[in-house]
Amino acid sequence: MKPILTSTEVRAADAGAAERGVGVARLMEAAGRAVALWCRRFLGGAYGRRVVILAGRGNNAGDGFVAARYLSVWGAGVEVWLLGDPERMAGEPRENLDRLVEMGVPVRGYRREAFAAALARSDLVVDAVFGTGLKGAPTGEAAEAISCLNASGRAVVAVDVPSGVDADTGAVPGEAVRASLTVTLACLKPGLVQYPGASFAGRVEVEDIGIPPDLIVSSLHLVEEEDVRRVVGGRRPEMHKGEAGRVLVVAGSPGFTGAAAMASEAAVRTGAGLVTLAVAASLNPILEVKLTEAMTWPLPESEGRLGPEALAELLRRVQEFDALLVGPGLGRWEGTRELVLGLLERAPLPAVVDADGLNLLAEVGGPKRRPWPTVYTPHPGEFARLTGGSVAEVQSDRVGQARRAASEWGGVVVLKGARTVVAAPDGRATINPTGNPGLASGGTGDVLAGIIAAFLARGIPAFEAAWAGVYLHGLAGDLCYEVLEPAPVPASLLLDSLGPALARIGGGSRHGELQARLG
């Protein structure tokens, strides 16, 4: 996994490096050289190229000054444009600025018309204004310069974080640089991998600048394919279906049998040995037609809805299963709420609570702690209902919101959406890199719930089952989107891509059959 550090954690790492003799001057030199190398690579060479450096007054500006020095030595025509009073600049940034002046590199104070003219004749712009230190929206000439830069249409390499993007949340409260490439220093920052900030960062490259690796410490990580491969593993030659996990799905109501079927089918295709769908008896004929591999279990009902009359029968056989999935298409009737609350309180199984299971919990003030591992899978709207907040509040700090809920509920929280966040009660969290806009389609959430339930049934710990399931789900969607873009990804085709996605995680890359079907 790739560590993702907040601005506070970065400052702590810098301080730790200084204590070991790796001071600011050395880090700045390494950072600026790395930025310059990426600029040269981006341009296909530095000689004869024209590069504009837009700089503030802090260490981010110092990195830009070092980059300007290297690019100038390599033959580029470099101009430095300063925001603010250079007399207020001190320390290493000031020293590196003075070196530029001694070299004869043009250094100019910002003026909009002149800056716009410099942009028009440039090949590349380096954004070295704010970095990780900015909180709130840029103001004054900084906001004006960023707006002018974006309007120019020039390619931009951002130093560490595009100016205007909140490094810790990805929020963009005002003007922000739209970078083609972001060279981030030492480690990823949350704002580079969470939206909307991620959409301003362009391609992101992490550069080692000499901070000792043991100081790069965080409880937030970006999931990588090898992490999922390690958790999911393969199947032993002697494995039988009982060892592959037995999933009980409690789902479905009139008009929503598809959700129950897709969740069950996803558990099957993810590798659960046995999947049983508990459903209202009157809906059983429909689900028996929809499902082939999964078994159905008709239960007592009230007008096609599961309620307390089914609870005793479920609890009588619950020990036969390894994991419980409750919620997809279940409906939101009072009797169904009693069923869900009773199952979560009394069924001694790891559980995934999704869709209407979450909505029913919201009606009673949110989840209560269970003594068994539990994964909650809300989208932002469901999360807001569970916490009593607003969707805007949820989206403004997705990692923080997910962590707080996980701690309060005593379970793993999967806050769905672009760059899904998975948080554990102990504060660990992950951000998922897979997935695409095509997954904004009905039924794809039911598929995710079934995937996670299958992993839980295999005995994979809840936190790992959740982030591995989210990664697999997004990867399957990506395989579909390679063929369908920009069309949405129907949940039925997402199911078809689970096998190829699992094969890729297992080390293979063939998915020709899927491509042929989507063709």
Side-chain angles (χ1 to χ4, degrees):
M1 289 193 176
K2 291 183 179 178
I4 305 171
L5 271 65
T6 65
S7 55
T8 300
E9 291 168 332
V10 168
R11 286 193 295 271
D14 287 346
E19 291 175 0
R20 299 186 191 181
V22 186
V24 174
R26 183 170 163 185
L27 295 177
M28 191 172 289
E29 186 71 18
R33 187 174 189 276
V35 171
L37 285 168
W38 274 107
C39 290
R40 185 169 69 178
R41 188 177 306 174
F42 188 93
L43 291 167
Y47 188 81
R49 302 291 189 169
R50 293 165 296 184
V51 180
V52 166
I53 312 286
L54 179 63
R57 293 197 309 267
N59 285 350
N60 195 250
D63 299 336
F65 299 150
V66 174
R69 172 160 41 87
Y70 277 98
L71 288 167
S72 181
V73 168
W74 295 337
V78 180
E79 298 179 41
V80 175
W81 291 79
L82 294 180
L83 298 171
D85 183 2
E87 295 305 316
R88 297 176 58 189
M89 192 180 300
E92 285 77 5
R94 180 70 204 204
E95 292 177 11
N96 280 295
L97 177 60
D98 290 343
R99 291 181 68 180
L100 281 181
V101 173
E102 292 171 4
M103 290 174 59
V105 173
V107 177
R108 301 181 171 92
Y110 171 78
R111 299 186 311 281
R112 181 181 178 89
E113 293 77 11
F115 179 61
L119 293 176
R121 60 179 179 265
S122 69
D123 298 304
L124 182 68
V125 183
V126 175
D127 162 30
V129 180
F130 291 122
T132 61
L134 179 69
K135 294 299 177 186
T139 59
E141 67 177 17
E144 181 183 278
I146 291 171
S147 175
C148 184
L149 172 55
N150 287 337
S152 74
R154 288 297 184 260
V156 179
V157 173
V159 179
D160 215 11
V161 176
S163 295
V165 172
D166 188 304
D168 291 340
T169 67
V172 181
E175 293 287 351
V177 170
R178 291 193 173 275
S180 309
L181 168 69
T182 297
V183 181
T184 195
L185 309 172
C187 56
L188 287 169
K189 316 303 185 299
L192 298 176
V193 292
Q194 295 186 99
Y195 289 98
S199 64
F200 286 76
R203 176 181 170 186
V204 176
E205 294 290 344
V206 180
E207 277 293 327
D208 179 5
I209 58 172
I211 295 176
D214 62 298
L215 296 178
I216 308 295
V217 178
S218 178
S219 57
L220 177 64
H221 290 82
L222 186 75
V223 179
E224 298 180 280
E225 188 169 302
E226 53 264 36
D227 303 312
V228 183
R229 185 175 299 118
R230 171 178 51 81
V231 166
V232 173
R235 288 179 174 243
R236 302 190 322 276
E238 72 276 18
M239 178 181 282
H240 58 76
K241 61 187 178 184
E243 292 180 308
R246 299 161 296 177
V247 176
L248 172 61
V249 180
V250 181
S253 61
F256 298 96
T257 57
M262 286 185 290
S264 302
E265 186 70 17
V268 169
R269 297 196 185 204
T270 306
L274 293 165
V275 177
T276 300
L277 170 61
V279 65
S282 62
L283 301 180
N284 191 65
I286 298 171
L287 273 307
E288 284 197 338
V289 172
K290 284 180 176 288
L291 295 169
T292 301
E293 294 90 350
M295 296 172 285
T296 59
W297 179 7
L299 291 173
E301 60 167 278
S302 175
E303 298 180 349
R305 306 162 182 170
L306 291 178
E309 56 273 1
L311 180 60
E313 190 166 346
L314 283 166
L315 292 174
R316 180 174 57 82
R317 288 184 51 193
V318 76
Q319 297 287 359
E320 299 175 15
F321 302 95
D322 300 304
L324 168 68
L325 166 56
V326 59
L330 199 54
R332 298 173 63 177
W333 296 277
E334 183 176 351
T336 308
R337 184 173 67 236
E338 292 181 39
L339 170 71
V340 169
L341 295 176
L343 272 176
L344 294 178
E345 180 180 348
R346 298 168 62 186
L349 295 176
V352 179
V353 187
D354 184 51
D356 284 329
L358 298 167
N359 291 323
L360 292 168
L361 290 180
E363 294 175 2
V364 295
K368 302 297 186 291
R369 288 178 173 267
R370 301 179 72 233
W372 308 284
T374 311
V375 179
Y376 302 96
T377 59
H379 59 58
E382 292 165 340
F383 190 98
R385 288 192 287 274
L386 286 163
T387 59
S390 68
V391 171
E393 290 170 339
V394 174
Q395 296 293 76
S396 69
D397 182 12
R398 287 169 55 82
V399 173
Q401 292 273 351
R403 278 176 162 159
R404 285 188 287 273
S407 175
E408 179 182 343
W409 302 341
V412 174
V413 172
V414 176
L415 179 52
K416 296 186 290 194
R419 300 290 166 85
T420 292
V421 175
V422 179
D426 61 8
R428 290 175 296 160
T430 64
I431 295 177
N432 183 65
T434 60
N436 56 75
L439 289 172
S441 175
T444 58
D446 304 312
V447 173
L448 174 61
I451 293 169
I452 297 173
F455 285 160
L456 279 180
R458 285 178 49 185
I460 297 174
F463 181 54
E464 287 78 4
W467 57 250
V470 169
Y471 187 99
L472 173 65
H473 177 265
L475 177 59
D478 289 343
L479 295 183
C480 285
Y481 212 48
E482 288 176 9
V483 179
L484 292 175
E485 186 179 5
V489 176
S492 58
L493 292 182
L494 181 63
L495 285 169
D496 287 337
S497 70
L498 285 176
L502 280 166
R504 178 170 292 190
I505 287 172
S509 61
R510 295 174 59 192
H511 54 283
E513 291 182 8
L514 172 69
Q515 290 179 317
R517 172 166 179 179
L518 298 180

